[in-house]
Structures are given as C-alpha cells and as structure tokens.
Amino acid sequence: MLHLKRIGIQTYGENVAFLSAKCPHYKAESFRNLYRVEIAGLGRRIMCTLNIVENGDLIDEHSLGLSSPAFDDLGLPAGTPITLNLAAPPRSLDAVRQKINGAELTPDVIGHIVEDIAAHRYSKIEIAAFLVACAAFMTETEVLALTRAMASVGQRLIWDMPIVVDKHCIGGVPGNRTSMIVVPIVAAHGLPIPKTSSRAITSPAGTADTMEVLANVDVVNDRMQEIVRAEKGCLVWGGRANLSPADDIMITIERPLGIDTPEQMVASILSKKYAAGSTHLLIDMPIGPSAKVRTQEQALRLRKLFEFIGGELGIVMKIVTTDGRQPVGRGIGPVLEARDVLHVLRNEKEAPPDLKERAVFLAGHVLEFDPSLTGGTGQRRARELLESGAAWDAMQRIIAAQGVQQTRFEIGPITREIYAGASGVVHSIDCYRIARIARLAGAPLTKGSGIDLLKKVGESVVQGEPLYRIHATLDADFAFATDMAKQDYGFIIK
Amino acid sequence: MLHLKRIGIQTYGENVAFLSAKCPHYKAESFRNLYRVEIAGLGRRIMCTLNIVENGDLIDEHSLGLSSPAFDDLGLPAGTPITLNLAAPPRSLDAVRQKINGAELTPDVIGHIVEDIAAHRYSKIEIAAFLVACAAFMTETEVLALTRAMASVGQRLIWDMPIVVDKHCIGGVPGNRTSMIVVPIVAAHGLPIPKTSSRAITSPAGTADTMEVLANVDVVNDRMQEIVRAEKGCLVWGGRANLSPADDIMITIERPLGIDTPEQMVASILSKKYAAGSTHLLIDMPIGPSAKVRTQEQALRLRKLFEFIGGELGIVMKIVTTDGRQPVGRGIGPVLEARDVLHVLRNEKEAPPDLKERAVFLAGHVLEFDPSLTGGTGQRRARELLESGAAWDAMQRIIAAQGVQQTRFEIGPITREIYAGASGVVHSIDCYRIARIARLAGAPLTKGSGIDLLKKVGESVVQGEPLYRIHATLDADFAFATDMAKQDYGFIIK
C-alpha cells in the first residue's frame, strides 16, 4: 500500500504516475520506467504511464504521485492508500500494429481502440502511431466505425426537441468568428442551436476563447440545456460536456503533428456533433491557398465524406464553401475578434463587412433547416434579425444566462506596426503565417494579444504603409512575434 | 536568469525541463506546457520539452529543473545560471508531414530529420509520427539516405586494421546468445571482432545484459579499442560508444510500438555497423513462425535490402538464415543464458547442442572473411578453436580486459514448473510468448529471472511432465509470469 500524492505537473493527453526508485513494496526494477500501470484505491482505478523518480524531494518511498490531471481523474483525496499493478498492454495495440502494416480494421476492433484511448490506456506515442497509420489510409467503412466509436464513448446529450441545429467551420482561417453572430441570429429566430466549441490548440483563438472575453463558457451540461431551452442558443466550451472525449485526447496529438486528413477531420467533427445531439448540421468549408482546403477537388472529396458519414449517423447535412483566401474581419486573437463581433452585432460602422456578410450567409443556410420557413428566404430573414438588433438582444440574453465575464480583458498594449515592403495591391494574405505570428504574440492565452489587420486583399498600399499591427502583453511574446513578422510578414503585394 | 537544478526523473528518449508556474522571468502562459524550449548556459545548449509545474515542492520560481538525462546532456553543474528560449519547431517537421501524406523524401531532408532527432529537437510523438510514416512506405533510396544520415551523426570508430569483422542477429529468438561464443572463437583465430551490443528493450535479454553477468560491459571507446588491439575481440554495451545515437533514440519508440519493417531494421543495424567501422559483416536471420522473419520470401526481400545498403556503404555482407522455430539453448534471461554459454565454451556435457552448433556455423562464416583461410574450411577451424579450449581462453582474456563482474548474480530463487497439458511430441514453441513470460518474470532487469526450457521441439512429453521452469526474484514478477503462462504456455504438443 502506498499513499496517494498530487504532483503539480501538467501532463496533457497522458496520465503520469511517479514512483520512488527506493520504494520497497514495488521494486522499481520490476515496475520499469515508462511502463503502463493501473492505480487502484477505494474501488476506483486509472491507467498511467509510470515515471521512476531517483531523488526523494519529489516523492518519498511510501507514496505514489499522480500528475494533476491523473489525480483529478482518479478523484481520491491525497493520502488515500492505493495499490499499483502492471497493466498488460491493451490488446487493441495489436490492431494498431496491423494498421501500421496497412490492414483494414473491423468496426469492433476500432471500437476497442477508441475505448482504450478514452480510458487513457494508450501512451502518447501509441496514440500518435494509430493516428499516423490512419492518416496513411482509411476506408469509408473505417471512418464510419471510428466516428460511431468516438461518439459512443462519453456523454450523449438528449434534447426533447424535434430539430437541434448546429454549424461548424472546419477552420484554418484566422478571425473567422462567425459562430458568435450566427448563434444569436438563429436563436433570435427561435431555432435551438446549442453551440459547443473548442479552445484553440494550434490556432490563435477558438470560439470558446473569444466568447470567454464576453461571458463564462465553462458551463455544465444541465445548465447548458436549461439555457438552450430558455434562450434557444448558447456558446460554451465543449471540454466540460465530455462529448467524444477520445476526440479531445486525439486532437492534442493530431494538431501539433499537423495531421488533418479528411477522414480524421470528419470523424472528429461528426463524433462531437452526434454526441451533442445535433439533428441538422451546416459545415462551413473555406477554400484558399493557405486554408485547410486548397482546391475544389479537395472540397468535393471532403463534402462527399461528410455527407456519407453524417447520413449514416442520421444527421441532415448541408456543406457550403466560403472564401478562405485571407483572414476574416480585422482582429485575430480573442479580444480583437470579440471587438469585431460586437461591431457586427451592434450594427456599428466599424463592423468588418466580410465578417458580417459571411455570418448572414451561414445563418441563412442554418435557418433553411426550419421547415416553417419558405425556401430561399433564409438569407433575408438572417439579415433582418441581425440588422433589427434582435440578434444582439439574443446575444445579450445568452451572455447573461452563461454569466457575464467579470474580468475585463484589454487589447495588448505592446504594439508594432508592420509596413508594406512595396507599393501595389494586396494580392494575398497567408492565413497560416498570420496565425503563427498572432500565436507567438500570445494569442489565445493572453487574450488581448494578436494581430489587427489594417489592409485586406484587393486594397491598394504604398510602400511603408502599415499592413497590420501586432499586439502583445508580454515582452518575450512581442519579440518572438515581431521577429517572425520580420522574416516574412505574410502579405503578397503585386 | 534561472538556476539549474537536476530533477531525478528518468525520461528516456525525451529531454524534459521543469519550470514553475510562478516563475516571474518567464511567464508560464507564454512558455506553455509541452512546448519545445532551448536551455542555454556557459556556451552550452540543449533542447527540451517544457513541463509547467504548479507546486513549489519540485521546483522554486527561481530555478529550472532538468530531467536526469537532460541534465547530464547539458553537462553543467547544479546552480549554473541559465536562460530559457522558446525553440521554433524544427523545419524538418514539415517533411515529416509530407511523409505522412505519402511523399518520397530527398537525402538532404532525411539528413535534417535525423540530425534534429539526434539533437533532441523532436518530441516523442513527433519521432513516432516519422517512424510510423516511414513504416507505411520507403524507397530503397530513402533507406540508404536514412542509414547514411544515422551513421554520420555521432561517433565513428577508426581502426588501423585492414579487416574488422562483425556479426549481428536480427533477433526475435530468445536464448540466441551465439555472439558470446562466436566472438571468442573469431578472436582466438586472430581476426578483429569488436562487438558492441544493445541491452534488451522488449526482449528478455540483449547480449550486453547477458555478458554483464560475467564482465563489465560499460567500456569507453579508447579502452575498447585497446582491448581489441590486444585481445582481437570484445563484448561491450554499445550505448557508451555513441555510435548512431539517432538509432538509440528511435529504437526506444520503435520497439514498444512493434515497428519492425525491413527498411527500418536495415537502417538501424547498418548505421550502427558502419559507425563502428566494420568492413565485413555476417547477418544471422532466423526464420520461424513466431520469429521476426516468418517466410523465405520475407527473408529474401530482407537479404536483398541488406546487400544493397551494405554494398553502397562499402561493407562486405554475408547473410545466412538459421532455424527460428524455437528458442536456442535452454536458458532465457541473462544468468540462465550465461550459464548455457559457459557450458558451450568450457565443452561441458550440459552444453545445449543447438546453441553450440549454431555458434560454430556462424563463427565458420565469419572466419571465411579471412583471406588467408582456405575457402570452405571456416566451420572446421571454428570447431577446432572451440573444442580445443582456445575460444574459452580468449573469452577469459576478454573478460579480464573488460573487468570481471564483481556482483555474483544467482538464478532467480522463486520458481514454478509449467506442465504439459497433453501427451505427445513438442511440435512448436512460440518464441514471442516465451519471451513475454520471461520478461514478466523480471528478465533482463533482475538478471537471474527468466525461463529454463526442459523440453524442445521434437522431444516426447507425457501429460503433466514439466515443459519449463519460471525463475523470478520478486513476488510480483513471479505472479505476472505464472498468470501469463497459465493463460497460454506457448507450447504446441501433437
């Protein structure tokens, strides 16, 4: 018996246990470093990767340490007596080896893999191996099985409503915060749209990061369902909802590796939406040379896969393509994006027209899911709801219901303008480059950091005129971002 | 400026740095968890993965901790003032993403990837992604580039001798400790054979683990070269030599994932041998239903690849196939295997005939590399050197030169015999299963643990007769091994 201890180390995506090399009960040689172990106490158990600790400062020989997420997962108080067992490697790893060698996996086997990943039975490198092997090739049947398996692990939301709509953008275009405009428009119309969003992993802001500038986004499921019943919409962080938790784990490996195949994108998005109880789903697919989808051919392939998998899951799917050739709006980073969104919702003259028009376009498509609406009138209805202020009223009710943000976040005070190197017309803006600079500037973690675009595609510039302004909150971030912008500022002027 | 601290956590394959969340100089939000950072001090620098630590027990806000291997890598004393910088992701990761998507990589690009891996610029999941992507497909040109790149990072041994021979078994067959017999035979003949071996990663013993029962195997390069000049042979641990260090890192990811493609096997083995300065190399390729190579077709493909890559590197290659249908000798685990080896070298009646005959066969092939030997007489010469005691004399000189092992390791005292479930003839023995049971019993880390085979293929057994004996040193290991043997003992009796 060892005594449980919390070790305040964040180890995202992997539960880690720390055992003293001097521990007399579990001789450290037999419990070897980096082995998978099962920790059990008071009827609860979790799987961890074992790290052997040589010095006594971190952990004494009568204790077992768990990294913060593992400790929280196990849910037992510090000091609880616990036991340690070598965990046999999950059997489903044999199937991962087969997949690496090019095999097609059965739905059953895919189900076991997903269950094991969600239960933290895989180490990070094992998850990476599965994902990379899947990136090499997956059949449509495998994608369907993966999506179903991911959706069936974790919570599923049940709504006592005939239609529950949602919209999702596949991402890759900075500043594209249409959800925060579409949701209030659709809610103002009266169609239920419970929007759960992620925080950014490799981008400068996720919808949850930007909404958090205005409201609390950490809302438990019961409260979220109350809010949607009352206000028809919400904009909350999806991590609390425990929808497709395997996806949450897999995505922390996929994103830094840049794995973004159509198959994995579809499984990730649709498993979340299926678990969220969506009946109708609009997918926004931006196309552009530096976006995730670069050609019409890619878009077609992705659309077909969305339609097939969504159809099999019983979700009514609508896929639209949008312009992904440059960032949307002016601001990139949570506070700067929230500023643009508020300008649009309040019908202020500073509202970026591209953000507004895109939101109206998408909201119009979502409204067409309403059987009582005359076909083809969605766009007009969306514009009315936005321009009349009804959408802004709905947003204010949603913010109040989720809880107004108590912290006031300011735009990053350390700034530098980046100047055009030549005169001409802005020919293109590299979405990937701009996102990276904004992220180095501190977005999304320091919410006021990011980029404010001063020129967009098609506008004329004179050499030396500012193209955008970098905003940072910390000196170190500012230095990283300006260095990166100096190397290549991401604009092509012709 | 932070003060350097050693954190006694073993983090194989990945350098980890620990920073307090409260650190005022480097605000933890901008230095985010799991980011790659560069640590620099007194002109030295290393790359690490950053872990953010919440509590002050492990690390105070004015210090930066490094896991033991990272601390040793940096090579600066505790307390040294050091700085921390965000490291840009290595550029070669873009090529890994291309490889995931099926691209063929140029030699230059492969060179950058290998350099970055050896310099610890890749995280474990990034290395896993590269290896799994390579497992999907690699051209021969890519394999050659990978081998060359791996060999050219790290040390290369220079020998002032016209012929430097070596032998290598591709593995997969437990108990196959022929190197400890071949090396003294070849050394007794006078042909230089500097044998560097690995420790086991997923098998019950590597040659270095078994040799260590008799002698010190942790020998620096200069001393190893002295020993080979004087005694013509050595049997040392390769980890000290810094030959193909990228391989040492990659193998810690490949083995647990079970990645063992011909391409990666050839690159791993030949990069090490090229760096070790071998001019002539014998490859032992066991074939059997539970060995690494299962069919003649696989063996042919692997042989061709060895010949092509070895030829391009200027190494004279000879590839032989051996019987891989069952373990070799009786003992599996360092002490039990060393016992078998000594029986053979001392020409004792307990010597397992299969181990002896296989060693003579392989040594004969190595001796054929000697231009002064009449063609076809290698086997006879090898048998003479073994049976005359000349090989045993050579082995005693090698042991004395490396340093006699001061610890006396005993065969594991906790034992259980595993009994035949039926009467008949032993039809096959599952190498993989037996290795796994031996490993659970504690091999190689508790050196006396493992399995002692009492029956081999072709022998008659009566139901209830013992097939093998499990030896363990610790109760927990004993329980794991016997449980596994009860589920399936790995013998088929017909």
Side-chain angles (χ1 to χ4, degrees):
Chain A
M1 282 287 178
L2 296 170
H3 296 284
L4 183 63
K5 188 179 166 187
R6 186 178 198 278
I7 304 282
I9 299 180
Q10 279 291 345
T11 50
Y12 294 109
E14 188 164 52
N15 284 338
V16 178
F18 299 91
L19 178 70
S20 166
K22 300 191 190 80
C23 173
H25 308 292
Y26 300 90
K27 191 87 186 229
E29 291 105 81
S30 66
F31 284 85
R32 282 153 216 164
N33 222 342
L34 304 183
Y35 262 37
R36 303 289 296 165
V37 292
E38 190 184 68
I39 317 287
L42 301 179
R44 301 180 65 96
R45 56 190 65 235
I46 55 164
M47 297 273 302
C48 294
T49 296
L50 189 64
N51 275 12
I52 300 294
V53 179
E54 297 150 6
N55 63 354
D57 303 354
L58 182 60
I59 190 95
D60 67 57
E61 61 200 68
H62 307 293
S63 299
L64 181 99
L66 289 182
S67 62
S68 326
F71 185 92
D72 297 344
D73 244 32
L74 183 59
L76 296 175
T80 306
I82 47 108
T83 59
L84 184 63
N85 266 297
L86 263 194
R91 276 164 194 244
S92 65
L93 270 181
D94 286 337
V96 172
R97 290 190 193 103
Q98 288 163 21
K99 188 76 203 158
I100 292 173
N101 292 323
E104 182 177 345
L105 303 181
T106 64
D108 268 12
V109 162
I110 291 173
H112 293 314
I113 293 173
V114 171
E115 275 167 33
D116 285 338
I117 289 175
H120 293 280
R121 293 192 197 107
Y122 274 41
S123 68
K124 280 189 291 185
I125 63 166
E126 289 162 352
I127 298 170
F130 174 63
L131 295 172
V132 173
C134 285
F137 107 100
M138 272 189 111
T139 66
E140 292 196 348
T141 312
E142 286 182 310
V143 179
L144 179 58
L146 179 63
T147 312
R148 281 219 169 97
M150 287 166 72
S152 67
V153 172
Q155 196 86 24
R156 178 153 195 230
L157 297 181
I158 307 293
W159 301 93
D160 44 359
M161 302 166 174
I163 295 186
V164 176
V165 302
D166 206 344
K167 71 140 295 243
H168 188 91
C169 176
I170 64 162
V173 177
N176 196 7
R177 279 292 86 71
T178 54
S179 289
M180 287 174 66
I181 304 166
V182 172
V183 167
I185 291 175
V186 173
H189 177 76
L191 216 48
I193 182 163
K195 179 93 187 98
T196 58
S197 307
S198 57
R199 294 188 188 279
I201 296 179
T202 55
S203 74
T207 293
D209 300 308
T210 301
M211 183 66 184
E212 198 173 36
V213 173
L214 309 177
N216 169 44
V217 294
D218 190 356
V219 176
V220 297
N221 287 348
D222 285 354
R223 177 65 190 139
M224 174 178 71
Q225 293 195 299
E226 266 175 41
I227 294 173
V228 174
R229 270 190 290 271
E231 309 302 344
K232 301 300 174 198
C234 69
L235 282 149
V236 304
W237 172 53
R240 174 66 53 198
N242 195 33
L243 307 173
S244 188
D247 183 53
D248 294 336
I249 295 172
M250 280 155 51
I251 222 165
T252 61
I253 309 279
E254 280 167 0
R255 290 288 172 82
L257 286 177
I259 297 179
D260 223 347
T261 64
E263 291 76 15
Q264 283 161 321
M265 193 190 294
V266 168
S268 166
I269 292 170
L270 291 185
S271 70
K272 277 264 194 280
K273 297 306 173 189
Y274 183 75
S278 307
T279 62
H280 294 65
L281 176 62
L282 178 76
I283 298 282
D284 170 14
M285 201 185 289
I287 306 181
S290 56
K292 284 192 185 176
V293 174
R294 303 191 172 198
T295 63
Q296 288 293 344
E297 291 69 41
Q298 283 182 347
L300 180 65
R301 189 175 156 221
L302 190 52
R303 178 164 70 74
K304 296 261 182 194
L305 193 61
F306 266 120
E307 288 168 349
F308 170 67
I309 305 292
E312 289 288 319
L313 297 174
I315 301 174
V316 179
M317 301 288 300
K318 172 94 196 196
I319 293 100
V320 295
T321 56
T322 52
D323 182 356
R325 289 175 298 167
Q326 63 173 334
V328 177
R330 298 271 169 205
I332 295 153
V335 175
L336 290 159
E337 292 174 11
R339 177 205 63 190
D340 285 356
V341 163
L342 290 178
H343 283 321
V344 173
L345 285 171
R346 290 172 179 156
N347 295 294
E348 290 165 342
K349 65 175 192 315
E350 299 90 342
D354 60 338
L355 178 63
K356 174 179 169 178
E357 290 309 314
R358 184 180 295 239
V360 167
F361 171 76
L362 296 171
H365 276 291
V366 174
L367 292 182
E368 295 281 350
F369 286 142
D370 178 0
S372 69
L373 199 79
T374 308
T377 62
Q379 307 279 330
R380 202 172 61 220
R381 175 77 175 138
R383 191 176 301 278
E384 279 167 19
L385 290 164
L386 178 60
E387 294 183 352
S388 69
W392 173 229
D393 290 346
M395 185 62 156
Q396 288 173 290
R397 289 194 301 272
I398 290 168
I399 291 171
Q402 292 184 197
V404 175
Q405 176 56 262
Q406 296 303 308
T407 307
R408 198 181 147 72
F409 297 104
E410 303 289 348
I411 294 176
I414 313 175
T415 64
R416 168 163 308 167
E417 290 180 348
I418 302 297
Y419 304 111
S423 298
V425 173
V426 177
H427 176 264
S428 66
I429 302 177
D430 183 336
C431 288
Y432 178 75
R433 189 87 195 165
I434 292 293
R436 223 166 134 204
I437 296 169
R439 203 167 155 94
L440 282 179
L445 284 177
T446 54
K447 284 193 184 288
S449 303
I451 282 178
D452 210 10
L453 294 171
L454 305 173
K455 295 288 178 186
K456 302 278 300 255
V457 169
E459 291 185 54
S460 302
V461 291
V462 177
Q463 185 175 1
E465 222 185 334
L467 298 172
Y468 56 87
R469 195 181 298 116
I470 295 173
H471 288 270
T473 308
L474 303 167
D475 290 328
D477 291 344
F478 182 67
F480 288 128
T482 50
D483 279 358
M484 169 79 67
K486 272 181 218 158
Q487 282 170 36
D488 172 359
Y489 55 49
F491 274 57
I492 293 178
I493 297 160
K494 278 190 179 170
Chain B
M1 281 284 182
L2 297 170
H3 295 285
L4 183 64
K5 190 181 165 184
R6 186 178 197 277
I7 305 284
I9 299 180
Q10 277 293 342
T11 50
Y12 294 111
E14 190 164 49
N15 285 338
V16 178
F18 299 90
L19 178 71
S20 167
K22 300 189 191 81
C23 173
H25 309 291
Y26 300 91
K27 194 87 184 228
E29 291 105 81
S30 64
F31 285 85
R32 284 151 214 165
N33 222 341
L34 304 184
Y35 262 37
R36 304 288 295 165
V37 292
E38 189 182 69
I39 318 288
L42 301 180
R44 301 180 65 97
R45 55 192 66 235
I46 56 164
M47 297 275 300
C48 294
T49 296
L50 189 65
N51 275 12
I52 301 293
V53 178
E54 297 152 4
N55 62 355
D57 303 356
L58 182 61
I59 191 95
D60 67 57
E61 62 201 66
H62 306 295
S63 299
L64 181 100
L66 289 181
S67 61
S68 323
F71 185 92
D72 296 344
D73 245 31
L74 183 58
L76 296 175
T80 304
I82 47 109
T83 58
L84 185 62
N85 266 296
L86 263 193
R91 277 165 192 241
S92 65
L93 269 180
D94 287 337
V96 172
R97 290 190 192 104
Q98 288 164 18
K99 186 78 203 156
I100 292 173
N101 292 323
E104 181 177 346
L105 302 181
T106 64
D108 266 9
V109 162
I110 291 174
H112 293 313
I113 293 173
V114 170
E115 274 167 33
D116 285 337
I117 289 175
H120 293 279
R121 294 191 196 107
Y122 275 40
S123 68
K124 280 190 291 186
I125 63 166
E126 289 161 353
I127 298 170
F130 173 63
L131 295 172
V132 172
C134 285
F137 109 100
M138 271 189 113
T139 65
E140 293 195 347
T141 312
E142 286 181 311
V143 180
L144 179 59
L146 180 63
T147 312
R148 281 221 170 98
M150 289 166 72
S152 67
V153 173
Q155 197 86 25
R156 179 152 196 231
L157 299 182
I158 307 294
W159 302 93
D160 45 0
M161 302 166 176
I163 295 187
V164 176
V165 303
D166 206 344
K167 69 139 301 234
H168 188 91
C169 177
I170 64 161
V173 177
N176 196 8
R177 277 294 87 72
T178 53
S179 289
M180 287 173 67
I181 304 165
V182 172
V183 167
I185 291 174
V186 173
H189 177 75
L191 216 48
I193 182 164
K195 179 93 187 100
T196 58
S197 307
S198 57
R199 294 188 188 280
I201 296 178
T202 56
S203 74
T207 294
D209 300 307
T210 301
M211 184 66 184
E212 197 173 35
V213 173
L214 309 177
N216 169 46
V217 294
D218 190 355
V219 176
V220 297
N221 287 348
D222 285 353
R223 177 64 189 141
M224 174 178 71
Q225 293 195 299
E226 264 176 42
I227 294 172
V228 174
R229 269 190 289 270
E231 311 302 344
K232 301 300 172 196
C234 69
L235 282 150
V236 303
W237 171 53
R240 174 65 54 198
N242 195 34
L243 307 173
S244 187
D247 182 54
D248 294 337
I249 295 172
M250 281 155 53
I251 223 164
T252 63
I253 309 279
E254 280 168 359
R255 291 287 172 83
L257 287 177
I259 297 178
D260 223 347
T261 63
E263 289 76 14
Q264 284 161 321
M265 192 190 294
V266 168
S268 165
I269 292 170
L270 291 186
S271 69
K272 277 264 195 280
K273 297 307 175 189
Y274 184 75
S278 307
T279 61
H280 293 66
L281 175 61
L282 178 75
I283 297 282
D284 170 14
M285 201 186 290
I287 305 180
S290 56
K292 284 192 185 174
V293 174
R294 304 193 170 196
T295 63
Q296 288 293 345
E297 290 71 39
Q298 283 183 347
L300 181 64
R301 187 174 156 223
L302 190 52
R303 178 164 69 76
K304 295 262 183 191
L305 194 60
F306 266 119
E307 288 169 348
F308 170 67
I309 305 292
E312 289 288 319
L313 297 174
I315 300 175
V316 179
M317 302 288 300
K318 171 96 198 197
I319 294 101
V320 296
T321 57
T322 51
D323 182 355
R325 289 175 300 168
Q326 63 172 335
V328 177
R330 299 271 168 203
I332 295 154
V335 175
L336 291 158
E337 291 173 11
R339 176 204 64 191
D340 286 356
V341 164
L342 290 177
H343 283 322
V344 173
L345 285 171
R346 289 171 177 156
N347 294 293
E348 289 165 344
K349 66 175 190 315
E350 298 89 343
D354 60 338
L355 178 62
K356 173 180 170 176
E357 290 308 314
R358 185 180 294 240
V360 167
F361 171 76
L362 295 171
H365 275 290
V366 175
L367 292 182
E368 295 282 349
F369 286 141
D370 178 0
S372 68
L373 200 78
T374 307
T377 62
Q379 307 280 327
R380 201 171 65 217
R381 174 77 176 140
R383 190 175 302 278
E384 278 168 18
L385 290 164
L386 177 61
E387 293 183 353
S388 68
W392 174 228
D393 289 345
M395 184 64 154
Q396 287 174 290
R397 287 195 301 270
I398 290 169
I399 291 171
Q402 293 184 196
V404 175
Q405 176 56 261
Q406 296 303 308
T407 308
R408 200 180 144 76
F409 297 104
E410 302 289 348
I411 294 175
I414 313 175
T415 65
R416 171 165 304 169
E417 289 180 348
I418 302 298
Y419 304 112
S423 299
V425 172
V426 176
H427 175 264
S428 67
I429 302 177
D430 183 336
C431 288
Y432 178 74
R433 188 90 195 162
I434 292 292
R436 214 158 144 210
I437 296 169
R439 202 166 156 94
L440 282 179
L445 284 178
T446 53
K447 285 194 182 288
S449 303
I451 282 179
D452 209 8
L453 294 171
L454 306 172
K455 295 287 178 188
K456 301 281 300 257
V457 167
E459 291 184 52
S460 302
V461 291
V462 177
Q463 186 176 0
E465 221 184 335
L467 298 172
Y468 56 85
R469 193 181 298 116
I470 295 174
H471 288 271
T473 307
L474 302 167
D475 290 328
D477 290 344
F478 182 68
F480 289 127
T482 51
D483 280 357
M484 169 77 68
K486 272 181 216 155
Q487 283 169 36
D488 172 357
Y489 54 49
F491 273 58
I492 293 179
I493 297 160
K494 280 192 177 166

